[in-house]
Amino acid sequence: MSTETAVTFLNRLMAMVDVLVFSSSLNFSEIEAEKNMSSGGLMRQCLRLVCCVAVRNCLECRQRQRERMTKTSLASIKAQENLQSLTGSNAAKTGVENVTGNLSPIKDPDRLLQDVDINRLRAVVFRDVDDSKQAQFLALAVVYFISVLMVSKYRDILEPQREIARSGSQISRNIRQEINSPTSTENPVTFPESNKEKEILTPVEDVQVESSIPHTDSGIGEEQIVGLMNGSDLETGTGPDAMSELLSSLSSEVKKSQESLAESPTEVLKPASSITSISQGKGMNVKEILKSLVAAPMEGAESGPEPVSYPDPTVKREAQAILPMQFHSFDRSVVVPVKKPPPGSLTVNTVGGASTTSSLVTGSATNITSPAAATPKSMINTTGAAEAASTSSSSSSSSFVNGATSKNLPAVQTVAPMPEDSAESMSITAKLERALEKVAPLLREIFVDFAPFLSRTLLGSHGQELLIEGLVCMKSSTSVVELVMLLCSQEWQNSIQKNAGLAFIELINEGRLLCHAMKDHIVRVANEAEFILNRQRAEDVHKHAEFESQCAQYTADRREEEKMCDHLISAAKHRDHVTANQLKQKILNILTNKHGAWGTISQSQQHDFWRLDYWEDDLRRRRRFIRNAFGSIHPEVLLKSAEDYGTDEDVIKSKKTFRTQAVVNQNAETELMLEGDDDTVSLLQEKEIDNLAAPFCPRVFISRGPVVLSTPAQLIAPVVVAKGTLSITTTEIYFEVDEDDQGFKKIDPKVLAYTEGLHGKWMFSEIRAVFSRRYLLQSTALEVFMANRTSVMFNFPDQATVKKVVYSLPRVGVGTSYGLPQARRISLASPRQLFKSSNMTQRWQRREISNFEYLMFLNTVAGRTYNDLNQYPVFPWVITNYESEELDLTLPGNFRDLSKPIGSLNPKRAVFYAERYETWEDDQVPPYHYNTHYSTATSILSWLVRNEPFTTFFLNANEGKFDYPERTFSSVAKSWRNCQRDTSDVKELIPEFYYLPEMFVNSNNYNLGIREDGTVVSDVELPHWAKKPEDFVRINRMALESEFVSCQLHQWIDLIFGYKQRGPEAVRALNVFHYLTYEGSVNLDSITDSGLREAMEAHIQNLGQMPSQLLIEPHPPRSSAMHLCFLPQSPLMFKDQMQQDVIMVLKFPSNSPVTHVAANTLPHLSTPAVVTVTCSRLFAVNRWHNTVGLRGAPGYSLEQAHHLPIEMDPLIANNAGVNKRQITDLVDQSIQINAHCFVVTADNRYILVCGFWDKSFRVYSTETGKLTQIVFGHWDVVTCLARSESYIGGDCYIVSGSRDATLLLWYWSGRHHIIGDNPNNSDYPAPRAVLTGHDHEVVSVSVCAELGLVISGAKEGPCLVHTITGDLLRALEGPENCVYPRLISVSSEGHCIIYYERGRFCNFSINGKLLGQMETNDSTRALLLSSDGQNLVTGGDNGVVEVWQACDFKQLYIYPGCDAGIRAMDLSHDQRTLITGMASGSIVAFNIDFNRWHYEHQNRY
């Protein structure tokens, strides 16, 4: 502890005692009792503290006197210079002055005690004077303390010259000692708790004495002084809490200062001497302590236990000259030999930096106040060994004041009130009077006030009361000299030593005992603290390591997150770039199209390139062709030669030799799953599945930012597998391809041009279904179906990641089509679970869905997808006759046997395959019948080679060349023959054979070569019975839906998807393929060799893949039409009674022509009705009663049902609420009211009307007739409206056409019953798209949401086909005389019927091909197509309803004529009732059954 810190600490502690003890009247008995202290302990501790401060002030006074006396000494000057040069600090001020700013307690250095010390001693004695025993004890101790100090001062005044003579050599010697004295690093000052008692401990071990302070014999026994130093701070109780807090803060300050000093042991200038330690002196008695009070140099002293080391030889010689010393008693009569220190005593450096033992002082003193001549060099032993420092008891007290490792006190500015000369010339009496004039009255006062007690205590050698005589003397005289003389007398000396000294020694011993107890407590607490600290250090090390690992992890996460942010930003840039290019292309198409603003007629001569769009209809058919910006005729492409192909035997041989140990056995776990009863969807709650999936996702990076999940993934597209990163936020999916991947760099840019989603972004609101998928036979992929009727497929590292992704996506299941709940567990269900849980098989059996739709469902749930050519949907060959001129679909011989696989239809070839299996010799590969698969990527591309993007895909997979002409798909009949004869060709068909006629046409004029017989390979050669591709597709589809196929289709399903796919049944059915085509045959994750794995993946890619097995039992057959005679879908010929053509005629009171009829008759509607609107804008909601399907059913009675299907609106019939049915808003006078002016929503609750002068169209409620919404958007009067088919919830598209030659596509929200999907902005809804291209007023429009097309006709010019996104696809150019379109009807099957003026009809495909035309004599006012698109119904001014075959306009039926013209017509939901609106103001209901004109049923009517 530095001098400044020690002095500050002592002063603050003393000031606190002044305030809390001396200046207060608090009773400490309660505190002492609470802390288990002896009574009066606090006051005794205060006395020890006051004595300590008083002695410290005495020492400072003596230091100032010495500096005055030695001011002119050369040695002193030299020593001071050396000291300043070594310390390098300004020593002009004392420690007290440095700390207190010259506010030193020394007011008069010549006085023995300062006023403040005298007042404190008086306060100690007289504060609790009522407590007689305590006060008497304190008074006796103070009498001894003051007496000793007075006698000592008296001797100092008598012997000043000896002090001066000795001081010069002492200074130089002590400076050298101090220079070589290292820092003491003993125990720091602490304030521990002992017995729950906070006490101030002064560590005597660390208290060092300023060896440079000279002194003479003080008369105070060293034991008392040392004990004072040891115990003076020990008993101060903690009083109020504020005090204890202050003490704690002081202790921490002192501790910090000591620790700071202890950490810098290289300081040169340190105190040279140490104070006595009592820590090891437990066994010493009081006599031994008294013997050591006063000492003088002696000869032949014993050496200490440890040698003293000296860095400088000169210093060593001087120190050795000093060491031999002799201890003298107080009366100079007893020579005390030096004792060895007790074993284990602590060492404190005293001379020259050597470590000396700091033990209890040993020695004896029989007379402590002897006035005999004293040796001026008398020393107090501070080491307890032979090495004695030149110190005094006052010096020891000073060292207590200054604290542990206190620095040398610098010179103090003299505060003496008189000049030095006058002080030196004063007489001894005057000096005594001056020094003792303040303290003597206190002693007298104590003697007087405690006379009874002291007189009994201070007895002479013969038992006489000494105080009685002394009191007489004191009362009669105030002379200080007399009082001193009295005290110096032998009797008083002996009595005070014997009686008062014992009280003082008891006071000191109490402090010593407390010190010992406190030390033991400190050691124990320190050990405990060290143990706790060590444990905490260990914990800190562990926590630090954990913190470092967390920091590293956090840093890695942040780095990963930053990487992800960069990735998302770059992905957004790529997406914006792609979107910008698409918008630019779209604007260019709109502007530069022949019908665009910049279009010219010459552009029609340019060759337009088209490609198959990825848009799917409800049956997952991709039929729409769109413009191809990357189109080309590929003129640079060459043809392969026959030599480029190996023989079939080579192929077989290469496949047989490919074998690794990784695929010897099929995955047993998969086998168990396939054979187990795992057919129903697990009823596990989604939370449970989520918990199961949670631990399995090591490579998935979960972000705390907006990205919920991010994982490496592969985008699976036809002929493209692109690695990248899939990121999922709370509302969107992002995929960003890794353009730095070497595999991606190798992909042909021409292929990438047709690959969507490389920088993809999909909104959650667009997701309609999520299916689990396989990729390379591993169940690690997902296919997501979007609202824009496209799909995207991703492959993930493992199944755990798949689960994580599914649970991060919306809960949509597999959509709403298959009767399954929209839950994530459905998306994760196995194909067999989906199949078993759906209602599609039952619907197919009941003939609610077609064979085509059911096969597409099976393909979808079995994992077949358009995005992976190895898992392309598979369809059967059904026709076997491709040679005859006509095809009779009523002959069984024209149909294939669906109970056999395609390879065994030919008996001879079946024998070949059976022998191959039975004579199998390869032990490495399991036996199989067929070395090729019925569906491979190669076969898919060969089927579709004539249509982009498959042309580019084919060239990419075929080394940039078209096939050898003999191998190119060029003839349907030839392909069928190859499937019957070629042992390496067992291809089945693809769904396009049943809906896509464009696949047979080489519309881009590719050079496909010339066959060996000279035939040019271009369009596919069709059978003779198909005059054009559309005929082939239509007849092929008819055959697929025929009864012959329906009756045996379940057997083909068993082969492909069912129990004959694998196992013994597959062997029996000749249906075994290469083992690597089966699910579960190989676990790619178990193959660690990357090269081997790549080879395996390539092999799987080449071989093809089996669909997932959906059944392990036979598939149920389809029900016969005879069994379903009571269902509405069955032909009426099977019903009991035939219907008349006309069911009913309903005449409205108003004679206004019925210009619009809407038959929304679905039973689940709240009000099934036929809504009619007249020319005068009077509408009626005529309730519909479903009677057709009930007639002839069991239990049917006329009483239970209405006789007629339509019941007139009661408000119209009663003529009571006509105001609720009349639209009174004025329309533009130039508008001719017709069927196109109205649209009725699918729930019959709202009517949309156009033609208003303010260029709006309006929405009215059918219940109240009130206006609910006005929609603006056109620049001229709205002339026509159309509605698309509705989906779940009643949402649909509304298209409005106007005289401004544009159309606007709107969205009708069935939930909010408004135009637009934001109910808060219903006043200003925004259209979804603006359709341009017409030059005249739009007069007719039709929209098909399933196809995503809007077909519109203007007053003059061709009809235009737009997508619902606003792209102009094409113009439907009719014959020369077909330029004024009036009516348009489009079916979801892709037929578009347009009626032109003067009775002309044209039939177009949705891709713009004119399929047929006709002229009639009637002026047609209404037309509609049946739901399958095969039949057309027309009606006009002649009042005759006619039914036509749509494909070739063959007339099928003419209904009886009516007495008025037909203005509008519609079909009921079951296609059994035709309702027409008549010009006479009535409606007529006709019986209609399109089955009667079906080829299978027409001969039975």
Side-chain angles (χ1 to χ4, degrees), residues 785-803:
F785 290 81
M786 304 296 173
N788 63 359
R789 294 177 175 271
T790 63
S791 64
V792 61
M793 184 172 169
F794 299 104
N795 185 46
F796 298 100
D798 47 46
Q799 287 183 333
T801 308
V802 173
K803 291 183 180 179

Side-chain angles (χ1 to χ4, degrees), residues 872-892:
Y872 209 78
V874 55
F875 271 65
W877 291 90
V878 294
I879 298 175
T880 60
N881 182 358
Y882 296 97
E883 308 296 338
S884 62
E885 294 292 330
E886 297 292 335
L887 181 65
D888 186 354
L889 292 180
T890 62
L891 294 178

Side-chain angles (χ1 to χ4, degrees), residues 1355 1376-1383 1394-1402 1413-1421 1437-1438:
K1355 206 166 190 178
E1376 293 182 2
N1377 51 359
C1378 297
V1379 291
Y1380 304 107
R1382 292 297 176 260
L1383 301 173
I1394 301 175
Y1395 169 72
Y1396 297 89
E1397 279 191 352
R1398 300 175 185 173
R1400 296 185 176 92
F1401 287 86
C1402 287
Q1413 58 178 315
M1414 73 167 180
E1415 289 189 23
T1416 62
N1417 296 324
D1418 193 7
S1419 178
T1420 303
R1421 295 294 191 96
D1437 291 341
N1438 292 345

Side-chain angles (χ1 to χ4, degrees), residues 635-683:
E636 76 287 354
V637 173
L638 303 176
L639 298 174
K640 278 194 171 184
S641 63
E643 289 75 19
D644 291 336
Y645 300 93
T647 64
D648 294 339
E649 288 74 14
D650 295 336
V651 176
I652 296 171
K653 186 176 180 181
S654 67
K655 289 181 179 177
K656 282 186 178 180
T657 54
F658 181 84
R659 183 66 186 167
T660 69
Q661 69 277 11
V663 297
V664 171
N665 297 318
Q666 291 192 350
N667 189 325
E669 185 179 342
T670 309
E671 281 294 315
L672 287 174
M673 185 200 74
L674 292 172
E675 294 173 5
D677 187 14
D678 192 29
D679 296 336
T680 56
V681 177
S682 170
L683 297 179

Side-chain angles (χ1 to χ4, degrees), residues 1149 1208-1218:
M1208 186 183 293
D1209 189 336
L1211 294 181
I1212 298 296
N1214 302 333
N1215 204 18
V1218 178

